Amino acid sequence: MAGNIRATQARQRANFVIFLGPAILLLFLFYVAPVIVNIFIAFTDMGSDLKWTEISTENFERMARKDRILTHTVIPVTFFFVLGTLAVFNVTFGLILALVTTSVQARSGAFFRAIWLLPRMSPSVVYALLWAWVITPTDYGLLNQVANGLFGLPLTDLMGNNPVFLIILVNGFIGASLGMIILTSAIRSIPEHLFHAARVDGAGGWSIVRHITLPAIRWPLSFITVYQTLSLLVSFEYIWLVTDGGPFYDTTVYALYVYKRAFFDGQYGYGAAMALVLVIVGIVVALMLWRFLDMQRLMQEPRIEVN
Amino acid sequence: MARVELNNVRKAWGETVAVDDLTLTIEHGELVSILGPSGCGKSTILLMLAGIYAPTEGELRFDGQVVNEVEAKDRNVGIVFQSYALYPHMSVRQNIMFPMRFKQVPANEASRLVEEAADLVRVGDLLERRPSQLSGGQQQRVALARALVKEPQLLLLDEPLSNLDATLRMTMRSEIKSLQAKLGITTILVTHDQLEATTMADRIVCMKAGRIEQVGTPDDLYSRPSSLFVAGFIGAPPINLLPGKAVDGKLNVNDFSLTCEGAAAGDVTVGIRPERISFAEGGIPGTIDQTEPMGRETLYVVSCPLGSIRVLEAGSKAHRRIGEAVAISFDPSDTLVYDSRTEALLGDVRARAPS
Ligand SMILES: Nc1ncnc2c1ncn2[C@@H]1O[C@H](COP(=O)(O)OP(=O)(O)OP(=O)(O)O)[C@@H](O)[C@H]1O
Ligand SMILES: [Mg+2]
């Protein structure tokens, strides 16, 4: 018997190594190790030649005191960008799309959802190119053709005049679809008889959304908010492609700024320091939202409330 | 309290016809039960009356007014769904309060009505709980309170007792019945449990595949089922249905000849309820094949020249043994004869065992 138990234990250890080993190894190689290296580089003056001469907190002092672009432009822009995209598109508009496409006929609902998925499915360069055409400040740009040609509004230069608004639009049109998909499936999983009961009880369309739908999809909604906050904080792909952070630094969000400093200016040490701060901010934001939205309960069990 | 009329109502989804050419009137304060097998369109009728589904054809009237175009929220109908459909994120109090939100009732008046409704169905001490913290029977009462609180002109109950255990079901049956009588509210009760229908309803509507087979009092449906379907559906244990042939005043069932009273010819089916057959000397000879104690009665299956016949006898103990020779007899007035082709009752035809 004792031998049997020992054999089972050995077997369990072997299973652990076989099944989790590769994943843990990969995680360590490509996530933990780079973070450690990054922490180290953050305290050096490493440049693109990968050499360093001193270890100090110079990079962090520079961030806090000397880098006026960072403190006066990049951080406010990032704040407005993340908040604006999140509040207008990724959560609110995603929710509206989910609500609308689930309440119309199934076929047309699927059609509209497919349309909203298109930007996500097309290569980012193509998507960025489309935007470049849309916002061309001459009367060839799509926006101006519509605004000027159809409604007689003066020619506008979105990139020049409202660059933050532009990057919110560019990211929002893509970002809304994730919320839409997740919330659509959440709404679908609400038992239909609840809607029937509410209608019989005298509720109109808006009351049903407020009293039945929203409470039932509270958890997916929290998830979308947390997830999108974190992903917007670190994303810069579309901004880089459409505005390249310009004009001047007006649309340079934090992640893009890190990228530019590190890889264009070759200031690896400074880039690493800023990246480290971003990681810390990300963790803090995640923990705050975790507390605030009660994510712990969300993770523990399926949280699309049905019965 | 409304008088409800359905006139030639039809509901179809593409090729699927759920309800077809249904005409029915339900009087003020009446409790009508819609009885039928799964998928025959019972819930569809309720959902049409509640305003969730629009009829494909025909009209619905409440007190003479056509309500086809009236929205669900404006019909003032109370409904208890088969699944109860309580709002999971609301407490019992909020659930019952929900319909009151949309009525022009002052807040303190509304909460008084909520507590009254809760007391009426005896969930007054559960008001702060969530639906998930209630038993099935309690949930059902809460659903009933939510349906009643707004004083609906029509109460719709969709298999409200199907999730309950046998004892609770019996209690709730009489509770609903007496509540309905007390409030005098027009009620439609959907069920596929014939006992529920016969014990609770003033009238029963028996349905098959979207159509009405028979409407009548529980006794009508039991003693004069107008079609083979109703005969087979009503009554437990089920009626004996014996296919045979009518020729020259004789009813030939299997190897046996019965005498036919009244005119019949061709393929017929003879129906006799198990509780209308008795063991008697000089009857049709047979042997006991099976015994099934059913509490106060015992069901015997007797194999005789007519075929396999179910006989229900009073007495909790099976005092007849398997293999025992017996003789069975029945009164001609207890027989029902149906045309096998049209499945319709041949009203004046009876079958008599030769003496
Ligand atoms: N929304 C719908 N779309 C398509 N067909 C439907 C729909 N609702 C019901 N049906 C069909 O209509 C028929 C009647 O359905 P209904 O729900 O009224 O049956 P029921 O008598 O209530 O059955 P049960 O006793 O199982 O509840 C069924 O064949 C069903 O498949
Ligand atoms: Mg049903």
Side-chain angles (χ1 to χ4, degrees), chain A residues 190-208 210-218 297 303 305-307, chain B residues 47 50-53 72-74 76-79 81 83-90 95 98-102 130-132 146-147 150:
Chain A
I190 303 173
E192 188 146 34
H193 56 231
L194 289 186
F195 295 114
H196 291 169
R199 279 168 66 189
V200 172
D201 281 346
W206 171 239
S207 299
I208 291 178
R210 195 165 106 69
H211 297 293
I212 309 298
T213 314
L214 287 184
I217 61 171
R218 202 183 129 209
R297 282 178 60 205
R303 267 293 162 187
E305 295 198 29
V306 277
N307 275 302
Chain B
L47 291 174
I52 303 294
Y53 295 157
K73 65 186 175 69
D74 301 321
N76 197 22
V77 165
I79 180 164
F81 291 87
S83 53
Y84 309 145
L86 297 176
Y87 309 121
H89 53 278
M90 297 184 198
N95 263 282
F98 194 70
M100 300 310 286
R101 281 172 180 274
F102 310 103
R130 289 289 176 98
S132 57
R146 186 180 64 184
K150 57 181 171 179

Side-chain angles (χ1 to χ4, degrees), chain B residues 25 89 112 165 188 191 203 210 230 238 240 297 301 306 311 344:
Chain B
T25 304
H89 53 278
R112 192 182 59 78
D165 66 57
I188 302 178
T191 177
R203 276 191 307 153
V230 180
N240 293 295
E297 291 123 352
V301 179
L306 285 171
V311 181

Side-chain angles (χ1 to χ4, degrees), chain A residues 36-233:
Chain A
I36 292 170
V37 172
N38 183 78
I39 291 175
F40 172 72
I41 297 175
F43 289 92
T44 70
D45 58 348
M46 185 190 278
S48 53
D49 54 0
L50 301 183
K51 294 207 175 74
W52 79 87
T53 54
E54 53 167 22
I55 292 183
S56 70
T57 54
E58 165 67 25
N59 288 330
F60 297 96
E61 272 162 47
R62 181 175 162 198
M63 280 176 69
R65 301 235 178 78
K66 297 179 199 149
D67 194 341
R68 288 185 59 83
I69 295 175
L70 178 68
T71 49
H72 286 67
T73 310
V74 171
I75 289 176
V77 163
T78 308
F79 182 77
F80 285 118
F81 165 69
V82 171
L83 209 69
T85 314
L86 202 63
V88 179
F89 282 96
N90 290 11
V91 176
T92 313
F93 197 58
L95 176 63
I96 292 174
L97 281 175
L99 287 172
V100 171
T101 57
T102 46
S103 60
V104 297
Q105 268 185 347
R107 197 181 292 241
S108 35
F111 176 72
F112 283 114
R113 275 197 299 279
I115 287 186
W116 279 96
L117 267 177
L118 276 180
R120 196 177 278 277
M121 291 187 294
S122 50
S124 30
V125 177
V126 174
Y127 179 67
L129 211 57
L130 287 175
W131 271 101
W133 287 334
V134 169
I135 58 170
T136 302
T138 66
D139 50 7
Y140 293 110
L142 179 67
L143 186 69
N144 279 326
Q145 282 185 23
V146 175
N148 180 260
L150 236 56
F151 298 106
L153 299 173
L155 290 181
T156 53
D157 176 9
L158 206 56
M159 169 119 73
N161 300 332
N162 303 79
V164 176
F165 180 59
L166 171 65
I167 59 170
I168 289 178
L169 282 183
V170 171
N171 275 275
F173 272 73
I174 289 203
S177 58
L178 182 72
M180 175 187 79
I181 296 285
I182 290 184
L183 296 176
T184 296
S185 73
I187 292 173
R188 286 268 174 74
S189 71
I190 303 173
E192 188 146 34
H193 56 231
L194 289 186
F195 295 114
H196 291 169
R199 279 168 66 189
V200 172
D201 281 346
W206 171 239
S207 299
I208 291 178
V209 169
R210 195 165 106 69
H211 297 293
I212 309 298
T213 314
L214 287 184
I217 61 171
R218 202 183 129 209
W219 302 102
L221 209 55
S222 306
F223 168 74
I224 287 291
T225 311
V226 173
Y227 181 87
Q228 295 277 26
T229 309
L230 296 179
S231 75
L232 281 172
L233 267 179

